[in-house]
Amino acid sequence: MTITLNHTIVPALDHQEEATFLATVLGLECLPPAGAQGHFIPVRVNDGLTLEFMTVDNPVGVHLAFDVDPDTFDRVLARLRELGVPYGDRPWSPDNGGTDHPLCPRGLFFTDRTGNLYEIMSPR
């Protein structure tokens, strides 16, 4: 059997806020609340992966990296600019406005209010 990642929990100060934020930036869909008392807000990334945002006390941010095609990269970058979300080309400087990623032709990092670090990488 091939092993694939089905879902992962993303810690959040406010699961609805952080799920909506990421879904908006990436152009994804938030699904209806799931789990006991709706304590997860799922964001469908693709047919095989869902991010489950969960409000937790004292969350520690995680790093999630996404490979995207050039058109998707352009749309994400446009949304970040439109929303006024800082981004940058280094994980230690996710607000320098650069897209000159060290590992790919174009890439960027941005964070949410919780401190989760998102990385978007494009082959051109």
Side-chain angles (χ1 to χ4, degrees):
M1 175 178 150
T2 301
I3 298 173
T4 59
L5 181 63
N6 175 275
H7 72 275
T8 191
I9 305 300
V10 180
L13 291 167
D14 179 313
H15 63 309
Q16 184 67 58
E17 177 185 326
E18 302 302 354
T20 301
F21 170 75
L22 186 66
T24 299
V25 169
L26 297 185
L28 301 173
E29 176 186 9
C30 274
L31 301 175
Q37 294 86 41
H39 65 278
F40 295 124
I41 301 295
V43 174
R44 170 91 51 193
V45 176
N46 56 42
D47 289 339
L49 177 61
T50 301
L51 301 177
E52 304 270 347
F53 285 79
M54 183 173 79
T55 300
V56 297
D57 294 331
N58 305 310
V60 175
V62 298
H63 174 211
L64 298 171
F66 302 93
D67 290 323
V68 300
D69 62 75
D71 291 337
T72 299
F73 184 89
D74 291 339
R75 288 191 298 273
V76 168
L77 182 57
R79 285 188 208 100
L80 289 169
R81 289 175 173 160
E82 179 181 310
L83 296 168
V85 175
Y87 62 89
D89 57 9
R90 300 295 186 267
W92 55 85
S93 185
D95 59 355
N96 67 15
T99 60
D100 184 29
H101 195 283
L103 302 177
C104 60
R106 290 194 310 160
L108 59 83
F109 298 85
F110 65 96
T111 61
D112 62 20
R113 188 169 72 93
T114 297
N116 294 306
L117 180 67
Y118 301 105
E119 182 176 9
I120 310 299
M121 298 180 289
S122 175
R124 51 183 165 80

